[in-house]
Amino acid sequence: AMTTVSKLRPLLRRAIATQHARPMTVLSKQSAEEYKKQNYNSRMAATGRPVSPHVTVYSFPAGALSSITNRVTGMGLSFGAVGLGAVEMIGGSGAAADLMSSIGSNGGLVTVTAKLVVGFPLVYHYMGGIRHLVWDNMPDTLTNSDVETASYALVGASAVVSGGLLFM
């Protein structure tokens, strides 16, 4: 009785013998430099291949947008703190308090806008930190559907709390 391997051996030999190896492309230093100088779009146009789609083509999940927003609010709060510190250092003691007082006395629209520009990022970033503490201590809540729900809840709660802070 012929074994399976001995039956397959002639088929494999024939398949390997009929395969033609493609030569490897070797770039000279000169052609490599010319390749680097070419624009990506022009290289793709020359080959007839489409340009890869950009991230704007894709719809980001709520969790990704929430994460990006948390990072942006953190950076905004950092820049704000550095800015207030610079005002205090340059203007002297009490300069930051004077600045905030003058912004608050400019009328309703300016005051409300200033409160929202500071309040929403502060509340969002703080609540985002609490959400991450929950995820760190209860990893079973870290499912795709729970992340989406928590992301929408974070935005909603931050909007409500920030709106409430406008009346303070």
Side-chain angles (χ1 to χ4, degrees):
M2 283 181 91
T3 65
T4 306
V5 174
S6 60
K7 289 178 185 177
L8 289 176
R9 192 169 285 144
L11 294 173
L12 289 172
R13 285 187 183 145
R14 192 172 6 173
I16 292 170
T18 58
Q19 292 291 321
H20 297 287
R22 205 173 79 173
M24 186 171 68
T25 303
V26 179
L27 294 176
S28 66
K29 284 187 178 183
Q30 181 183 0
S31 63
E33 291 300 320
E34 289 174 14
Y35 181 80
K36 287 180 185 177
K37 290 178 187 175
Q38 291 177 357
N39 180 313
Y40 175 76
N41 290 337
S42 64
R43 284 198 319 258
M44 291 299 106
T47 62
R49 291 182 291 191
V51 177
S52 298
H54 195 264
V55 291
T56 56
V57 174
Y58 303 106
S59 175
F60 282 104
L65 292 173
S66 175
S67 175
I68 292 166
T69 305
N70 196 44
R71 292 162 197 250
V72 169
T73 56
M75 289 187 325
L77 291 169
S78 296
F79 284 124
V82 168
L84 270 180
V87 165
E88 191 71 16
M89 287 184 350
I90 293 169
S93 180
D98 291 341
L99 174 65
M100 289 186 279
S101 179
S102 68
I103 290 172
S105 64
N106 276 333
L109 185 60
V110 173
T111 302
V112 168
T113 303
K115 284 183 176 183
L116 275 177
V117 165
V118 173
F120 181 79
L122 183 66
V123 170
Y124 188 92
H125 199 73
Y126 185 78
M127 288 183 167
I130 292 172
R131 178 181 68 167
H132 275 277
L133 282 173
V134 170
W135 285 345
D136 289 344
N137 292 304
M138 296 188 305
D140 53 312
T141 62
L142 197 55
T143 64
N144 287 340
S145 62
D146 288 343
V147 168
E148 184 175 2
T149 302
S151 297
Y152 287 125
L154 175 60
V155 172
S158 297
V160 168
V161 172
S162 298
L165 290 175
L166 292 177
F167 299 106
M168 295 182 89

